Amino acid sequence: MIKLAKFPRDFVWGTATSSYQIEGAVNEDGRTPSIWDTFSKTEGKTYKGHTGDVACDHYHRYKEDVEILKEIGVKAYRFSIAWPRIFPEEGKYNPKGMDFYKKLIDELQKRDIVPAATIYHWDLPQWAYDKGGGWLNRESIKWYVEYATKLFEELGDAIPLWITHNEPWCSSILSYGIGEHAPGHKNYREALIAAHHILLSHGEAVKAFREMNIKGSKIGITLNLTPAYPASEKEEDKLAAQYADGFANRWFLDPIFKGNYPEDMMELYSKIIGEFDFIKEGDLETISVPIDFLGVNYYTRSIVKYDEDSMLKAENVPGPGKRTEMGWEISPESLYDLLKRLDREYTKLPMYITENGAAFKDEVTEDGRVHDDERIEYIKEHLKAAAKFIGEGGNLKGYFVWSLMDNFEWAHGYSKRFGIVYVDYTTQKRILKDSALWYKEVILDDGIED
Ligand SMILES: OC[C@H]1NNC[C@@H](O)[C@@H]1O
């Protein structure tokens, strides 16, 4: 068989999840509600009112799930830590909450699986939101640094890869501006304030991490990035793509890697939100403190045409490619373009694809299997794009499939399945889909064969 794409021997093959999406046990061992507990219980916010109350019951089944990770043969496992388990109230540390993660890490270490921990994957403690709107309150930075510092103290060098935030675009723009995610605000000025404080909290946590000098551990941030393409060669469509790129990507990449917000977007946004009075002296220096790696979450691209009436002067145009169950166009070549652009314009640091994957209509067939050929094809094509980038000298060090298992897909509830492991939510039975069996072979071969 010919090898389609070969990866380095030390390439980090992984899968990813997050606390609120898989753990359940929302009232156990001292955990208090997060904004997602509140949001998912608010009428009309999630598909059929689905919540993370039980999810995949991972809090009780973590040993079984780590055994599945071993069976698939992953080298690393990316999970997130639930802030409301660690600090159920402001300033009140909860050791029982930390114990769960110590047991999870212990199970991973016993199987030589590298833990990669995301500090914040959207489950802000409700108490933080109740104090001035959570990320709208500049005090959130202090609360976050206290939380992160406790994690560094208790888990420190047991976690070789620390990720400060997952997708700040989602925890700010989607959550405070568009309103699709918790806390469900629809105020663009608030969205930019939240984004600024989240980025500041990232920088302050990196500074705290450096002061603790944790041997063998690295720290970075994960951004969801969506390359934007003009619908035509018309200048106005190119301008639309520039704004769409600024909206999705540069508003976060520039402060982190260039120490400034993008001028064109500042100008565009100033017409909408007025003064940027929430940006204080020294903030951008903090946000742009050096990190060790960049996590890239990639799913799809956008194609836009000029639209005079829209805030961003851009209107999405459907692409020609096939779509996933999320309606996202499948565009592996755009992942290659994205990685090349990051390398060219932003950073030579190591990068990890910390999420890539797809939702498809998965069914358990007569044979008790899930023949998810579309997901295999999706992952294969994106791995080929990654291999091409590496082959050209790109500093890509790893790839984490989103997701290890089907889980709570936020506003879509359990209606969208991203896992390479199927979860029967009535029995909590796990079934390795064909994609998990295929991924196992890819990991064994460090490469893809057709
Ligand atoms: O939409 C799929 C995934 N995208 N990134 C963040 C995760 O929490 C989502 O489930």
Side-chain angles (χ1 to χ4, degrees), residues 4 17 114 286 387 397 425:
L4 262 180
T17 63
V114 173
T286 298
K397 294 298 182 194
Y425 295 109

Side-chain angles (χ1 to χ4, degrees), residues 266-331:
M266 293 278 286
E267 195 184 320
L268 181 70
Y269 287 157
S270 61
K271 297 176 189 128
I272 303 150
I273 68 143
E275 293 304 307
F276 286 87
D277 48 4
F278 49 87
I279 302 174
K280 309 294 183 199
E281 185 65 33
D283 284 359
L284 272 298
E285 284 72 23
T286 298
I287 293 172
S288 58
V289 289
I291 52 180
D292 301 316
F293 65 87
L294 172 65
V296 176
N297 286 1
Y298 173 78
Y299 287 93
T300 189
R301 66 169 174 173
S302 74
I303 299 172
V304 293
K305 68 179 182 183
Y306 186 78
D307 173 9
E308 180 55 39
D309 302 330
S310 88
M311 175 184 91
L312 292 169
K313 306 297 175 202
E315 179 190 336
N316 281 318
V317 169
K322 286 192 290 185
R323 289 174 186 290
T324 70
E325 271 299 287
M326 295 295 279
W328 298 343
E329 183 192 13
I330 299 172
S331 178

Side-chain angles (χ1 to χ4, degrees), residues 21 121-122 166-167 297 299 328 355 402 409-410 418:
Q21 293 180 271
H121 199 125
W122 309 351
N166 179 73
E167 303 183 351
N297 286 1
Y299 287 93
W328 298 343
E355 286 181 28
W402 184 269
E409 178 52 30
W410 308 111
F418 275 88

Side-chain angles (χ1 to χ4, degrees), residues 6 9 58 75 82 124 149 163 190 209 224 231 238 267 287 291 300 348 360 393 405:
K6 196 75 186 127
R9 283 291 304 139
H58 176 71
K75 307 295 184 199
L124 182 76
T149 302
I163 296 166
E190 287 189 354
F209 178 86
N224 55 308
K238 288 181 185 173
E267 195 184 320
I287 293 172
I291 52 180
T300 189
K348 301 293 182 190
F360 291 110
M405 66 182 94

